[in-house]
Amino acid sequence: MAQALVTAISRELSAGHTQNNVSAPVRPPQRASSNTFTPSITPSITPSITPSIIPSITPSITLSTSTDASARVNQALKSAKTDAKRGKGRIPKTVPIKCTDLTVCVLPSPTTLTPKPTVELELAQAGLGKRVVTIAEDCKHMDIVTIMEEEFPKLQPLQGRWMFYKATGGSGQRRMTLISMDTEGYSGRQIRSVSNCGKNVLFLVPLQEEMDTQPLPYNSAEFAKMPKVPCVTCNTTMPLQMLALHAEECKLNSNEKIDLVIVEDGNDNLEEEVTNIAAGARDVSEDSLAMCPICQKELPLSVLPYHGSLCAERSFSTSVFEDDMEQPGPSSGAHSSRISGPATEEWKTVENPQEAVQLFFEHLREGGKRQPTLFLTLDSRDTDEERDRSLISFYKQQREKNQWAAPFNCHIQGDAAIGIGVTRHILSTAIAKLKHGFKLNYGNAAETTLFEGEIDHLLPSASAVLVESELFVMAGRMIGHSLINQGPALSGLSLAIVHSLTGGTKDTATTNLCLEDCPDIEQRETIRLLLKDEWTEDETSQVSNLCLEFYFAVPNKRSNKMLLFQQLLTHAVLGRVGAQLKQLKKGLKDTGVWPLISCRPDVLPLLFPRESEAEITPEMILQAIQWPQPHHTEDSDDSDADDIQPEKLNLVTGLLRTFVEHASPSNLRKLLKFWVGWEVVPRTLTLEVVQSSGPNHLPKAYTCQERIRLPDHYTSLSALTADMMVCLQSVDSGFGLV
């Protein structure tokens, strides 16, 4: 810049001297030096210039020359300053590359639906699911593929055979749309645009393959960037987001790791499996041991109730399984004949529906044996509302399908009873609560009923509060769990509801409708008016008001009454229970029962029987009773039965037979529930007559063994009936409370 300035000044000075020489009044014919000025005047002009004029001209020429030179120097300086760049403009500008933090959810298989919220943790355990990746705007397709494979190593075998999808706003499971590629594949600029600068989640979906969703080890490369913490119970280090699910499983496993004595089938020896309840548990001292009354083994007091349950069940089930005699009535879950090695799909092809049900649930329970045992504990000292809340809380928990088929053990705190009889009692109570209501106040009633209407015409309640609380999902799980354990089924549902629930359409379900299916008596009577030929003024007003309430056209004289009758009845029965049926279906699917329902429609009368078909008759109970013999048997384990006289034995058994023959269906259900724990008739009901210890000696039932013992002091039917009714009143409250 300095060199340019000097050059400009030199040019201006040269130009200034040249102009000054031209403007002088006397110019010599030759160019003089720039440093000297020597005027040369011709002889003709010289005399005309007097000496007085010359001194006056010289100063003016000199002043003009210096003024013009200074002006031109300043002008040159201004032009030099104008040409130079100022400030930050001297440094070349660099445009930064924009990067987008993109949330990507990798799905395991080809689909067009977003994953359910309950599956996200499962995908995260498998190294899939949601993660945040950074993509630059200038990334090409192969760059994006490389970034995804580095973040999700399970994508490497796919070799880029995947595409991005996006979903619309909202919550829950939504439908996705494909994000089409440019001519050169995906680019960072396109990804930034379709994701709204990273604000929307993009779903990466494989086009052909299905990736494994089994949980990965905690030290896998997929979890390398995640923060890790140790579990307090098992001291296993794992990613932080996996700890929530691990904590539940770890707690459940720690409860199962207790000292147990297991009776092997077909072997008299007992195999001890001793583990600790939790890590660092103390050894059990000798003074805390007690003897099992069945196998005479010493066990810790904390373990004895669980061992007694298994020991009693195993010791009394072997002999019953050996009896293959066909008995009328439905079979019990504990004493049904074993099916040796059922094929996985055999239940689909077998002709007998009853056998198909047994094969399916046998296979389902076989798969559940590898799952942790489900434990349910109720407190007999709680109020009815507190016990109902505990029951609802257990069935509202989200579990995998195989977990519902796992072994199921129940315990009632404050009650001495243990074993499979308690499990039967709780399952029976759960189904009864579905039919008759829970002791909960969800608004304006002391009881909350999930089903309403007449017997054999029950419908799901139309209450919006029950739907929002997802109580019908819980109801579906209760029904499926009871069926898996071969407990009582939910009987009395409307045929139209059963048809709609099990996959039928609304149009085909109308063929099973009848007026009794309408739970509202007033609406039912109004709909019945459409069967009349003529209406009064009040009847016409009732029909018109109901049509307006259901958003149908008001009928006139030319209206088709039968068509309107079908439309109003369909809307009254099926029009407001769509959400309830979806929740019931979801609950059945959660327990794994749905494949049987969808593939074998012929088993529906067994899974959802009519109330009249599920009614217990005196003949069913009398034919199942194994009547005591007057002589002593070697396998009798009670010495009280040895000295019973044949006359007393015949008298007591005859009185019981008379009581059963004249009992009402309700009392027969209670008798069966008192005898075995639930209202399912087993193959054999054992009856024993023992010596009485006094007039207050009441009948005693052993539900795990399906056995009842009657004292021999009864001489009249009225005395036996009075004591039996006292016992039957206790079946709803538990055991040992008489």
Side-chain angles (χ1 to χ4, degrees):
M1 178 177 177
Q3 183 66 27
L5 181 60
V6 172
T7 304
I9 294 174
S10 301
R11 290 176 180 175
E12 290 297 330
L13 288 176
S14 301
H17 286 301
T18 304
Q19 294 176 4
N20 290 335
N21 293 334
V22 173
S23 62
V26 179
R27 181 168 182 167
Q30 298 88 4
R31 173 176 284 182
S33 175
S34 60
N35 298 327
T36 59
F37 179 76
T38 305
S40 175
I41 306 175
T42 59
S44 61
I45 300 176
T46 303
S48 64
I49 300 176
T50 62
S52 61
I53 298 176
I54 295 174
S56 62
I57 296 175
T58 303
S60 62
I61 295 174
T62 305
L63 180 61
S64 175
T65 302
S66 61
T67 303
D68 294 341
S70 299
R72 286 172 172 77
V73 169
N74 293 334
Q75 184 66 27
L77 291 175
K78 289 182 180 180
S79 62
K81 292 180 180 179
T82 304
D83 296 339
K85 295 183 178 180
R86 300 178 180 179
K88 296 181 180 179
R90 294 174 297 172
I91 303 174
K93 296 182 180 180
T94 57
V95 180
I97 300 175
K98 298 180 180 179
C99 295
T100 304
D101 292 333
L102 180 65
T103 302
V104 179
C105 181
V106 177
L107 303 184
S109 59
T111 181
T112 57
L113 297 176
T114 60
K116 297 180 180 179
T118 56
V119 186
E120 292 184 359
L121 186 57
E122 178 183 351
L123 294 178
Q125 285 186 318
L128 306 175
K130 288 183 180 180
R131 293 191 187 181
V132 179
V133 296
T134 301
I135 297 179
E137 191 174 11
D138 61 347
C139 282
K140 304 299 181 182
H141 181 79
M142 292 309 301
D143 298 333
I144 297 176
V145 172
T146 303
I147 293 173
M148 293 302 166
E149 290 180 352
E150 291 177 355
E151 189 69 28
F152 301 94
K154 281 193 173 183
L155 294 178
Q156 295 176 2
L158 272 62
Q159 299 179 355
R161 292 187 293 271
W162 48 262
M163 294 188 72
F164 283 118
Y165 283 73
K166 65 178 180 179
T168 57
S171 59
Q173 197 170 24
R174 294 156 290 157
R175 187 168 297 277
M176 301 185 300
T177 56
L178 177 67
I179 300 176
S180 59
M181 293 184 178
D182 295 336
T183 56
E184 298 180 358
Y186 290 120
S187 62
R189 188 182 301 275
Q190 180 190 10
I191 296 300
R192 178 182 175 87
S193 175
V194 296
S195 65
N196 193 11
C197 298
K199 296 179 181 179
N200 300 334
V201 180
L202 297 187
F203 297 89
L204 192 152
V205 181
L207 298 180
Q208 294 176 322
E209 293 87 343
E210 290 188 6
M211 292 180 285
D212 186 16
T213 57
Q214 293 297 325
L216 296 175
Y218 297 135
N219 57 355
S220 299
E222 285 82 351
F223 306 142
K225 299 180 181 179
M226 296 183 181
K228 296 180 176 59
V229 292
C231 174
V232 177
T233 305
C234 63
N235 203 26
T236 303
T237 302
M238 66 193 67
L240 181 59
Q241 63 180 4
M242 310 297 177
L243 185 60
L245 185 60
H246 171 79
E248 299 179 1
E249 297 179 354
C250 192
K251 182 179 179 181
L252 187 60
N253 293 335
S254 63
N255 292 334
E256 288 184 347
K257 291 180 180 179
I258 55 177
D259 301 334
L260 294 177
V261 177
I262 302 176
V263 181
E264 296 293 339
D265 294 337
N267 191 355
D268 296 335
N269 297 326
L270 298 178
E271 178 184 353
E272 264 188 53
E273 181 185 349
V274 181
T275 54
N276 292 328
I277 296 180
R282 299 179 179 178
D283 295 336
V284 182
S285 58
E286 294 183 358
D287 56 354
S288 62
L289 298 177
M291 182 176 295
C292 174
I294 300 176
C295 63
Q296 303 300 317
K297 294 288 183 178
E298 288 189 353
L299 298 169
L301 287 175
S302 60
V303 177
L304 192 59
Y306 300 98
H307 164 73
S309 172
L310 296 176
C311 195
E313 180 181 352
R314 295 292 183 89
S315 60
F316 289 99
S317 61
T318 305
S319 60
V320 178
F321 281 125
E322 294 175 355
D323 184 12
D324 293 332
M325 296 178 59
E326 293 293 337
Q327 298 289 345
S331 60
S332 170
H335 299 319
S336 60
S337 60
R338 288 186 176 181
I339 305 172
S340 59
T344 305
E345 305 295 334
E346 187 179 352
W347 57 272
K348 293 184 179 180
T349 58
V350 68
E351 294 183 0
N352 188 358
Q354 181 70 38
E355 187 178 355
V357 172
Q358 294 180 1
L359 285 171
F360 177 81
F361 287 119
E362 181 75 15
H363 172 69
L364 203 60
R365 289 191 299 272
E366 189 67 25
K369 289 181 180 179
R370 296 183 293 270
Q371 298 294 325
T373 303
L374 294 178
F375 290 97
L376 173 59
T377 301
L378 301 179
D379 197 333
S380 61
R381 294 160 292 190
D382 289 342
T383 62
D384 293 340
E385 181 176 354
E386 292 173 340
R387 285 196 297 271
D388 288 354
R389 289 189 182 277
S390 299
L391 192 63
I392 291 174
S393 176
F394 176 80
Y395 282 101
K396 289 193 73 173
Q397 294 179 9
Q398 183 69 29
R399 294 182 174 89
E400 298 296 331
K401 294 179 182 179
N402 290 340
Q403 290 181 343
W404 288 109
F408 183 46
N409 289 336
C410 300
H411 177 62
I412 301 178
Q413 295 182 359
D415 201 314
I418 57 175
I420 194 174
V422 181
T423 303
R424 294 173 183 169
H425 168 75
I426 291 181
L427 286 175
S428 175
T429 302
I431 298 300
K433 294 290 184 181
L434 289 180
K435 295 175 63 175
H436 305 297
F438 294 89
K439 297 290 185 179
L440 299 176
N441 187 358
Y442 276 100
N444 55 0
E447 288 189 355
T448 299
T449 56
L450 269 66
F451 295 89
E452 57 186 6
E454 299 180 0
I455 298 299
D456 287 338
H457 303 282
L458 294 178
L459 303 179
S461 176
S463 173
V465 177
L466 302 182
V467 176
E468 293 174 357
S469 302
E470 294 188 346
L471 289 183
F472 290 101
V473 178
M474 173 214 67
R477 293 172 183 165
M478 282 186 177
I479 297 171
H481 194 218
S482 180
L483 293 174
I484 290 173
N485 292 275
Q486 295 189 341
L490 180 63
S491 59
L493 289 179
S494 167
L495 290 179
I497 293 297
V498 173
H499 185 82
S500 300
L501 176 64
T502 55
T505 63
K506 187 176 180 180
D507 295 334
T508 58
T510 56
T511 58
N512 298 313
L513 284 175
C514 60
L515 272 175
E516 288 74 13
D517 289 334
C518 183
D520 193 311
I521 303 299
E522 183 178 353
Q523 292 180 358
R524 183 193 306 176
E525 296 303 323
T526 303
I527 296 174
R528 193 191 301 272
L529 295 175
L530 293 169
L531 301 177
K532 297 177 60 177
D533 296 333
E534 298 293 337
W535 296 337
T536 63
E537 184 177 354
D538 292 340
E539 293 174 347
T540 303
S541 177
Q542 293 178 13
V543 174
S544 300
N545 292 335
L546 184 61
C547 290
L548 293 175
E549 182 181 352
F550 288 176
Y551 298 99
F552 286 101
V554 176
N556 51 38
K557 294 183 179 180
R558 294 178 294 178
S559 299
N560 189 338
K561 292 184 178 180
M562 292 306 300
L563 178 60
L564 184 60
F565 171 84
Q566 194 71 24
Q567 291 175 341
L568 293 178
L569 183 59
T570 302
H571 183 78
V573 177
L574 303 175
R576 295 175 292 178
V577 296
Q580 292 86 331
L581 293 180
K582 288 183 179 179
Q583 291 191 4
L584 281 172
K585 186 182 296 185
K586 181 180 182 302
L588 292 172
K589 289 181 178 179
D590 289 346
T591 57
V593 181
W594 186 254
L596 177 64
I597 297 175
S598 59
C599 296
R600 294 295 301 261
D602 56 337
V603 304
L604 295 181
L606 300 176
L607 304 182
F608 302 97
R610 308 285 287 174
E611 191 72 24
S612 56
E613 297 173 356
E615 183 176 336
I616 299 174
T617 62
E619 290 76 13
M620 296 170 62
I621 296 180
L622 293 176
Q623 292 179 9
I625 294 177
Q626 185 177 357
W627 300 97
Q629 301 298 324
H631 56 81
H632 170 64
T633 57
E634 295 181 357
D635 56 350
S636 176
D637 58 350
D638 195 343
S639 60
D640 295 340
D642 296 345
D643 301 331
I644 303 298
Q645 298 179 1
E647 293 79 7
K648 287 187 176 181
L649 184 64
N650 295 333
L651 176 61
V652 174
T653 55
L655 292 176
L656 180 64
R657 180 185 292 271
T658 305
F659 173 79
V660 173
E661 290 175 348
H662 294 84
S664 63
S666 175
N667 287 337
L668 289 178
R669 283 181 173 272
K670 292 182 179 180
L671 174 62
L672 200 56
K673 193 172 182 179
F674 174 73
W675 203 320
V676 298
W678 58 21
E679 52 270 33
V680 178
V681 182
R683 284 182 173 273
T684 303
L685 293 170
T686 304
L687 172 64
E688 293 181 357
V689 179
V690 298
Q691 288 184 356
S692 174
S693 60
N696 295 327
H697 188 173
L698 294 174
K700 182 182 292 186
Y702 299 84
T703 55
C704 297
Q705 308 166 20
E706 299 174 353
R707 177 183 304 187
I708 192 172
R709 290 181 176 180
L710 298 178
D712 63 349
H713 65 263
Y714 294 111
T715 58
S716 63
L717 180 61
S718 59
L720 176 64
T721 302
D723 287 352
M724 288 299 299
M725 294 305 298
V726 171
C727 295
L728 299 186
Q729 296 303 320
S730 68
V731 296
D732 294 330
S733 56
F735 300 80
L737 299 180
V738 179

